Amino acid sequence: MAMPRAPPQAAVPGGGAGAAAGGVTMRMFHGDVFLGEAEVFPMKQGAEGSLPFPSNEIRISHLSPTSERCPPLAILQTIAPFSVRCKLQAKLMPPHPSLHRLYLTCFNEYKSAVVVVGDEELHLVAMPSKVEKVPCFWCCSVRSGIYAASVGMLNLRCLAIVFDLDETLIVANTMKSFEDRIEMLSRRMDIEDDPVRIAGMSAEIKRYIEDRELLKEFIDTDTVTDNGRIVGTQKEEVLPISGGQERVLRPVIRLPERNAILTRINPEVRDTSVFVKLRPAWEDLRSYLTAKGRKRFEVYVCTMAERDYALEMWRLLDPEANLISSHNLAERVVCVKSGSKKCLQNVFKDKGCHPKMAMVIDDRLQVWDEKDQPRVHVVPAYTPYYAPQAEMANAVPVLCVARNVACNVRGGFFREFDENLLRKVFELMYENELLDLPYAPDVGDYLVCEDTNFAPNNKDVAPIPEGMSGAEVGKRLNGLAYPRDQKQIPSSTRLSDDDGVALRGIPGGTNIQSNGGSLATTPSLFVTVLQEIGRLCESRVEFRSTVSSGKNMQFSVEVLFSNEKIGIGIGKTRDEAQILAAEKALQNLESNYLSFMAPVAGVLNKDVNKPPGSGNGFLEDITLSEDISMEEPSGSTLKEQDHSKALDRLSSVISLIRELCLEDQHVVFRDQVRDSGSALNGEYHFQAELGGQILGRGIGLNKDFAKLQAAEEALKTLKTTTDPQIKKHLRPVRCNS
């Protein structure tokens, strides 16, 4: 329910303190109907204060849609913050009757008067005033079409959610991709000596073969034998999308016990048959999005897959078209060229939503444009063949965590919108200044950005990609297996539903802490304090999680402070590892702080035996420990001069690598924790990557020695490689004539 507004009073001639002195008189029209004259006052002085109206006249084309609960200024501040270009008020008193009627209509019905200038809309917002009874407006600019879409979403308390497909919601394979993966794993087994890893790869191959045989039977007979039961195909009609298409009936077999579906992209071509595994708990997430007939999110898809394939995969996920209606499907399923960056601006090219009001569910962060990355909730890649038990490793399934995150993002966004922005907008008057406008919420404020790495389980190498990539699908669903960059596992953020619905797997005592606008689980004081330090220092705090599977599954969490590792924790649960990592990070921060301040301020000796958490729980009461850089583990026998030589050599090798790579391509060194033993004894593992391809690995008792080993191996790889996926990142070789 909207707050009551103060009745319109009057304007101060000259536009108030926020407008530049000296107004310009302009004639106002609604279409071809003359409304009277108005004085226009730019909000800024000089060139920045130029008036936006062409031909020195204000020609209104239409009125915006009526807003049920949100005044136009609140909507405009949300989608185009601080976009007030000028103020205007009626020149004559009493005003022209038509202008007075326009003002009252806009004020009372929560509408704005829209002037269209190119691809921009200028919204005239009726404002109350402190002095005289004269129509007065603020003029705000916004991209054409975005206001009309945002009115409905904000009134319905609705945001947008964008899904990736492959390895986020599904894993799909053709006969060719099955055979490629079986062959790749077989080659790895031939050169493997560790019996544990051989057993793991053998089990993975067995799972691939089992599903390949089902797909082969589907291709040959349009049936499958599942646990001795013969299951035949059902003809499922593909609803026509906008633009029109012929009626299509696809042969489909759904195996809910296996969480699998077999389908045929082109019903006439059996080789386009696909075996699809759906991620567990998709139904929970889908039900939340459509529960009680209430639209909580507008749903979009953004994928690097081929379009026909993407449309069919989404149809399997949303067979009744409850999430995306058939007439919106063409615009809502967005296919991006493989290798390109995904971008919310392109997803919403139909102007259906503003990026600030959208969140993304994806298994990879780096495929998104940098400005959109704060709005991405990263889920671990779905790997049903490599690690089928991973989905159930946590008390809350991955997609249930995503659901919990989504509902808390929505709850946090609209709490800020209602309790701060709306309340303050209702208090604003015509005479207020631009800086009096309140802060507008952004979905990115309520997501904890975690760039986490997937650690190999029982293997020295990362898992092969389990489903088809966009490039594969583009080759008639029969392409090669392309390596993908390492997948990411975010820590399970457990949050409460904004509608008060009890969420599965959520402990009742979870403590939710607000950190600079972001909602994050705070399982201990250490995590809370660390996040607060990051906020005060305007530095990014990240928790990177890895997990190793086996009889004794252990989690490892690293803490990065402004991209520098300052702590690591290992535990039986991710929360335990996160607490230990945060505690270690605080100890290192204190050690670094004291070593910096002692010579300057004469810091008194601390009682290093004091337990963490005594006193006020902040820096001064946390136990001293290892140096923040963590570069020299205890017991190291490396000589200082050897370390210096290694650094010089590393710098030279990296320079040589840069000369080989294109200007916009860079080799990335990733710190890999292989197991709990190596992490505890100070052994470091690094791998060098270029465009997601692993070029070399290094191991050492010092970061720089491990990185040098990885760099030298990477340089050798770049000089000798024939792999086209690597060569595309390198400078062309110049031949001397």
Side-chain angles (χ1 to χ4, degrees), residues 34 43 71 160 323 325 419 483 506 518 628 645 651 674 730 737:
F34 178 66
M43 292 297 291
L323 299 182
S325 64
E419 297 173 10
I506 303 297
S518 299
I628 187 171
K645 290 178 181 178
S651 177
R674 294 304 175 129
L730 304 181
S737 55

Side-chain angles (χ1 to χ4, degrees), residues 288-459:
Y288 165 73
L289 297 173
T290 60
K292 304 174 186 176
R294 179 181 177 186
K295 183 177 286 188
R296 294 181 170 98
F297 287 87
E298 294 285 356
V299 178
Y300 293 77
V301 174
C302 185
T303 176
M304 291 183 178
E306 186 269 339
R307 186 160 183 78
D308 286 344
Y309 164 86
L311 289 170
E312 174 62 1
M313 294 304 104
W314 182 253
R315 189 190 68 82
L316 298 178
L317 290 162
D318 183 28
E320 297 176 354
N322 289 328
L323 299 182
I324 303 178
S325 64
S326 58
H327 69 272
N328 285 332
L329 203 57
E331 293 76 30
R332 295 286 183 95
V333 177
V334 178
C335 296
V336 178
K337 184 179 179 182
S338 183
S340 303
K341 286 284 188 181
K342 297 180 179 179
C343 174
L344 286 175
Q345 199 73 56
N346 293 336
V347 172
F348 304 131
K349 58 182 179 295
D350 65 339
K351 302 167 185 173
C353 179
H354 193 281
K356 289 180 58 178
M357 296 169 59
M359 68 173 290
V360 177
I361 307 291
D362 203 325
D363 66 302
R364 293 186 292 168
L365 181 66
Q366 299 304 322
V367 298
W368 284 91
D369 191 280
E370 187 174 351
K371 66 177 179 294
D372 292 325
Q373 290 182 10
R375 302 178 183 118
V376 179
H377 172 64
V378 183
V379 298
Y382 179 35
T383 55
Y385 298 100
Y386 172 72
Q389 77 283 2
E391 289 296 307
M392 299 304 164
N394 297 315
V396 186
V398 169
L399 292 186
C400 285
V401 173
R403 178 198 62 184
N404 300 347
V405 170
C407 69
N408 278 276
V409 165
R410 178 173 169 266
F413 183 97
F414 284 110
R415 270 193 299 275
E416 176 71 20
F417 184 85
D418 290 338
E419 297 173 10
N420 178 49
L421 187 141
L422 267 186
R423 181 178 59 81
K424 292 182 178 178
V425 163
F426 279 115
E427 297 171 357
L428 289 174
M429 308 292 283
Y430 175 73
E431 291 76 22
N432 280 100
E433 299 184 18
L434 189 65
L435 295 180
D436 294 328
L437 284 164
Y439 172 78
D442 187 315
V443 159
D445 296 339
Y446 309 100
L447 278 170
V448 180
C449 185
E450 299 182 16
D451 187 6
T452 53
N453 294 316
F454 187 90
N457 298 342
N458 296 328
K459 299 184 182 181

Side-chain angles (χ1 to χ4, degrees), residues 531-545:
Q531 291 173 334
E532 182 65 10
I533 292 172
R535 186 184 69 81
L536 294 172
C537 297
E538 297 183 348
S539 297
R540 183 177 179 183
V541 177
E542 297 177 75
F543 291 89
R544 290 186 176 178
S545 304

Side-chain angles (χ1 to χ4, degrees), residues 84-386:
V84 183
R85 299 283 298 276
C86 59
K87 298 181 179 182
L88 57 141
Q89 64 187 58
K91 185 179 175 85
L92 300 178
M93 186 63 191
H96 193 288
S98 297
L99 181 56
H100 187 64
R101 282 195 300 272
L102 173 73
Y103 174 77
L104 291 177
T105 298
C106 291
F107 190 92
N108 293 325
E109 299 181 16
Y110 284 177
K111 294 181 178 181
S112 63
V114 183
V115 178
V116 178
V117 181
D119 60 354
E120 180 184 38
E121 290 178 353
L122 303 174
H123 287 256
L124 307 184
V125 180
M127 297 291 293
S129 180
K130 297 178 181 178
V131 188
E132 300 180 41
K133 292 183 178 180
V134 59
C136 46
F137 301 83
W138 280 14
C139 173
C140 305
S141 64
V142 67
R143 189 162 53 94
S144 179
I146 196 69
Y147 181 93
S150 302
V151 169
M153 293 181 66
L154 290 173
N155 279 295
L156 292 172
R157 296 300 187 260
C158 179
L159 297 176
I161 190 166
V162 182
F163 288 109
D164 174 49
L165 290 177
D166 293 305
E167 299 193 346
T168 297
L169 299 181
I170 56 114
V171 163
N173 280 287
T174 61
M175 286 295 293
K176 180 66 166 62
S177 62
F178 270 139
E179 290 162 2
D180 288 341
R181 283 152 180 77
I182 292 169
E183 181 183 354
M184 190 181 302
L185 282 167
S186 299
R187 287 200 304 267
R188 287 187 181 180
M189 285 181 63
D190 290 342
I191 60 174
E192 182 56 66
D193 297 325
D194 190 318
V196 175
R197 287 192 285 269
I198 290 174
M201 285 186 273
S202 177
E204 188 176 352
I205 289 176
K206 182 179 178 182
R207 288 187 283 270
Y208 275 119
I209 291 175
E210 182 179 350
D211 286 350
R212 183 192 64 180
E213 292 308 307
L214 288 173
L215 179 60
K216 185 176 187 303
E217 187 178 1
F218 173 69
I219 293 172
D220 293 340
T221 67
D222 280 345
T223 64
V224 298
T225 304
D226 183 28
N227 294 325
R229 178 173 59 98
I230 297 177
V231 183
T233 60
Q234 298 291 325
K235 298 293 185 181
E236 295 188 359
E237 182 176 359
V238 180
L239 296 175
I241 61 176
S242 59
Q245 66 178 39
E246 294 182 5
R247 182 170 178 263
V248 175
L249 292 174
R250 281 202 177 100
V252 174
I253 296 178
R254 294 180 181 265
L255 304 174
E257 297 83 5
R258 292 177 175 266
N259 238 28
I261 304 175
L262 295 97
T263 187
R264 194 164 294 145
I265 305 300
N266 183 343
E268 306 301 322
V269 181
R270 289 181 176 269
D271 285 342
T272 63
S273 299
V274 184
F275 188 98
V276 185
K277 293 188 84 74
L278 306 185
R279 190 163 206 159
W282 164 245
E283 287 300 320
D284 292 279
L285 177 54
R286 185 175 72 169
S287 297
Y288 165 73
L289 297 173
T290 60
K292 304 174 186 176
R294 179 181 177 186
K295 183 177 286 188
R296 294 181 170 98
F297 287 87
E298 294 285 356
V299 178
Y300 293 77
V301 174
C302 185
T303 176
M304 291 183 178
E306 186 269 339
R307 186 160 183 78
D308 286 344
Y309 164 86
L311 289 170
E312 174 62 1
M313 294 304 104
W314 182 253
R315 189 190 68 82
L316 298 178
L317 290 162
D318 183 28
E320 297 176 354
N322 289 328
L323 299 182
I324 303 178
S325 64
S326 58
H327 69 272
N328 285 332
L329 203 57
E331 293 76 30
R332 295 286 183 95
V333 177
V334 178
C335 296
V336 178
K337 184 179 179 182
S338 183
S340 303
K341 286 284 188 181
K342 297 180 179 179
C343 174
L344 286 175
Q345 199 73 56
N346 293 336
V347 172
F348 304 131
K349 58 182 179 295
D350 65 339
K351 302 167 185 173
C353 179
H354 193 281
K356 289 180 58 178
M357 296 169 59
M359 68 173 290
V360 177
I361 307 291
D362 203 325
D363 66 302
R364 293 186 292 168
L365 181 66
Q366 299 304 322
V367 298
W368 284 91
D369 191 280
E370 187 174 351
K371 66 177 179 294
D372 292 325
Q373 290 182 10
R375 302 178 183 118
V376 179
H377 172 64
V378 183
V379 298
Y382 179 35
T383 55
Y385 298 100
Y386 172 72

